[in-house]
Amino acid sequence: MKGIRGFKDILPGEVEKWQYVESEGRRVFGLFGFLELRIPLLEKTELFARSIGESTDIVGKEMYTFPDRDGDSLTLRPEATTSIMRAYLEHGLDVKEPVGKYYFIGPMFRYERPQKGRYRQFHQIDAEILGVQEPQADAELLVMLMRFLGGLALQNLNLQINSLGDPACRGPYREEIQKFLRSKSEKLCEDCQRRLETNPLRVFDCKKEECQAQLAGAPVVLDFLCPDCRRHFERVKGLLDELRLPYAVNPRMVRGLDYYTRTAFEVVAGDLGAQNAVCGGGRYDGLAEEIGGPSVPAIGFAIGVERLVMLLPEEKNYLRYPDVFIAALGEEAQRKGFALAQELRDAGVWVELDYEGKSLKSQMRKAGRFKTPWVVILGEEELKKDRAVLRNMATKAQEEVALEEVIKRVKTESRET
Ligand code: HAM
């Protein structure tokens, strides 16, 4: 039996990279005052339909939706933003402390066609600032994002930003783009002909070349911004300039979810191929109301962990190795070695040992595979004197030490290596 298509196992050897990016994320987000908020895997389907939008690809054809035993329609979360906002409102966090900065790391589910960098179960590192409408929040979030990505030594990243305006300025833009595309309607794919009537901005998202070709010369939303939205966008750009954070304005970026207002952004990686967005995000000042809450301005991002891990520099070693291997020869030594291993672990040392009573040669080979810097050799002769041999695997130097000294020595040596 095999696993499900688009659902990946993450094995030791690879998982260390995941642990590294996750712990770096927690560390950097902590510096900016973000707290972890854990959301459930399932929500009522209606929640995502209302927030992400009925006419988006995610809600239209990518959600894992099923009736539970009571007949309620449930959906495996395709993203985290909606659930974080739901939790914030449901628990009255907006009343206790209106400014909420939260992050979440975990798997998301979308029924997309699997390919390199695109899976049906994928993982996001998500961060959200709730309750702040000022452009400072946009700038701070982007600074945090780029600090985090930069700290991982990723190369060839490009931060693209846009403003999608608010519902007031998007209305006239929507009409304009609809008018523009209607004149080219017969050249659009079937999906886009439908999008043209239901949600014309979604045509920008279409991956098909024939549709992209029709978009040449299309009006862009930046030209339709109302004075408030324009001011907001200018201020965000001004703050990024002051902070010397490089970015490019991409007036054609619309994002694949309907809840965005004003600032929208993506981080694109030159080295990823077709699925090159390593992060996407933006402001969603209307989402709280869409799901039945009060008005809560908010902005956030989500990083695709699979794509992030693919971009980590190859040279760096993310693996960790045991501090010491215990090679024991003979039954008595094995018994002693087993006890010593537990004592060393109690003292905080990572110990590996052989379970099968193999020859010294074979145990040394095993220690080599574990790449431990030290091996404690317990032989019958040494044990008679309550001593053991400590071998430095790099220099091959060996010395005899008293058994009671072993823990102290290994602890100091492993700290020094
Ligand atoms: P999104 O653009 O749908 O935004 O996803 C964010 C990131 O998740 C993408 O840039 C990509 O790296 C990764 N991703 C998405 N789908 C897949 C997939 N099938 N396989 C692998 N990686 C994938 C959101 O999800 C928004 N909730 C972001 C946000 C947060 N906006 C405001 N706050």
Side-chain angles (χ1 to χ4, degrees):
M1 285 272 265
K2 288 197 168 167
I4 310 167
R5 193 163 114 89
F7 288 64
K8 273 204 324 172
D9 300 307
I10 306 154
L11 304 181
E14 166 87 355
V15 84
E16 290 77 5
K17 295 181 181 171
W18 288 65
Q19 292 168 341
Y20 169 67
V21 299
E22 288 166 7
S23 69
E24 274 302 291
R26 290 175 198 281
R27 190 183 67 75
V28 175
F29 301 169
L31 297 175
F32 285 78
F34 282 66
L35 306 176
E36 182 171 8
L37 191 160
R38 296 196 185 186
I39 50 170
L41 272 173
L42 292 169
E43 296 276 4
K44 291 184 188 142
T45 304
E46 192 199 344
L47 181 73
F48 296 121
R50 282 217 242 161
S51 66
I52 299 173
E54 297 276 6
S55 55
T56 58
D57 281 355
I58 298 179
V59 173
K61 50 188 185 190
E62 294 172 359
M63 294 205 305
Y64 280 87
T65 296
F66 58 92
D68 78 356
R69 288 174 190 274
D70 297 333
D72 294 334
S73 179
L74 301 183
T75 291
L76 276 170
R77 60 178 184 228
E79 58 121 33
T81 312
T82 304
S83 302
I84 291 178
M85 180 61 91
R86 185 217 21 86
Y88 171 83
L89 297 175
E90 183 171 335
H91 301 288
L93 302 180
D94 56 328
V95 181
K96 287 181 202 139
E97 170 51 68
V99 178
K101 299 196 271 189
Y102 305 107
Y103 74 88
F104 174 71
I105 304 176
M108 307 294 155
F109 303 85
R110 295 184 194 174
Y111 192 82
E112 293 192 80
R113 200 168 49 76
Q115 64 179 82
K116 183 169 172 253
R118 189 162 74 190
Y119 310 95
R120 289 180 173 170
Q121 173 176 310
F122 61 99
H123 296 72
Q124 286 186 341
I125 296 179
D126 183 283
E128 313 285 348
I129 303 181
L130 310 183
V132 191
Q133 67 177 19
E134 282 71 23
Q136 277 80 351
D138 309 36
E140 188 176 61
L141 187 85
L142 288 169
V143 169
M144 180 171 90
L145 168 64
M146 297 317 280
R147 278 267 168 82
F148 170 52
L149 297 177
L152 301 175
L154 309 193
Q155 304 290 322
N156 279 333
L157 295 185
N158 194 342
L159 169 64
Q160 302 187 350
I161 63 171
N162 193 14
S163 175
L164 300 177
D166 58 21
C169 40
R170 205 144 57 198
Y173 173 64
R174 195 188 130 106
E175 274 172 32
E176 227 18 66
I177 189 86
Q178 208 162 31
K179 213 181 322 155
F180 176 87
L181 288 172
R182 273 193 186 131
S183 66
K184 299 158 177 279
S185 139
E186 70 285 359
K187 298 203 181 97
L188 295 173
C189 73
E190 231 174 82
D191 275 347
C192 283
Q193 291 187 1
R194 189 175 35 77
R195 288 177 183 132
L196 171 56
E197 297 311 323
T198 54
N199 196 345
L201 261 73
R202 293 270 73 83
V203 177
F204 280 98
D205 275 347
C206 184
K207 300 281 176 320
K208 299 200 182 80
E209 260 172 46
E210 71 239 48
C211 299
Q212 285 301 319
Q214 299 316 309
L215 284 164
V220 292
V221 59
L222 279 183
D223 293 333
F224 289 77
L225 296 186
C226 64
D228 280 351
C229 289
R230 191 178 300 280
R231 220 172 295 123
H232 186 97
F233 193 48
E234 290 307 317
R235 188 78 190 107
V236 172
K237 287 192 295 180
L239 285 164
L240 296 182
D241 293 338
E242 280 170 35
L243 295 161
R244 295 210 170 80
L245 192 80
Y247 63 89
V249 174
N250 177 357
R252 296 161 73 97
M253 185 222 306
V254 293
R255 309 275 303 123
L257 305 91
D258 278 352
Y259 52 56
Y260 290 111
T261 51
R262 296 192 167 171
T263 315
F265 57 89
E266 281 183 358
V267 179
V268 175
D271 304 334
L272 275 180
Q275 302 303 321
N276 63 357
V278 69
C279 174
R283 203 163 251 294
Y284 48 97
D285 295 344
L287 171 61
E289 284 166 300
E290 292 289 343
I291 62 174
S295 163
V296 178
I299 182 163
F301 65 71
I303 300 169
V305 185
E306 282 78 1
R307 298 181 192 178
L308 185 61
V309 163
M310 277 159 55
L311 291 171
L312 288 176
E314 282 297 329
E315 322 74 79
K316 191 169 149 70
N317 187 7
Y318 301 92
L319 303 180
R320 289 201 323 111
Y321 304 107
D323 300 310
V324 62
F325 185 90
I326 298 179
L329 300 165
E331 259 181 50
E332 173 61 14
Q334 267 196 311
R335 237 189 341 266
K336 276 252 158 69
F338 201 64
L340 179 64
Q342 316 316 325
E343 280 182 58
L344 279 162
R345 287 165 181 154
D346 287 344
V349 176
W350 180 2
V351 185
E352 286 297 341
L353 72 175
D354 169 61
Y355 299 101
E356 298 155 299
K358 291 259 177 79
S359 69
L360 180 62
K361 203 164 147 199
S362 139
Q363 294 194 51
M364 294 307 278
R365 258 206 309 272
K366 195 161 179 186
R369 279 202 302 278
F370 276 120
K371 296 196 168 70
T372 56
W374 298 95
V375 176
V376 176
I377 304 170
L378 297 176
E380 277 171 19
E381 285 308 306
E382 289 87 15
L383 274 185
K384 274 186 207 148
K385 298 182 278 178
D386 272 336
R387 297 177 80 78
V389 171
L390 190 61
R391 179 182 170 91
N392 179 326
M393 293 295 273
T395 62
K396 303 199 168 48
Q398 297 198 165
E399 68 177 295
E400 230 186 72
V401 292
L403 262 187
E404 58 199 37
E405 285 288 299
V406 169
I407 296 187
K408 212 159 77 201
R409 279 294 300 276
V410 167
K411 263 192 90 165
T412 22
E413 307 283 9
S414 68
R415 211 163 288 136
E416 276 161 18
T417 45

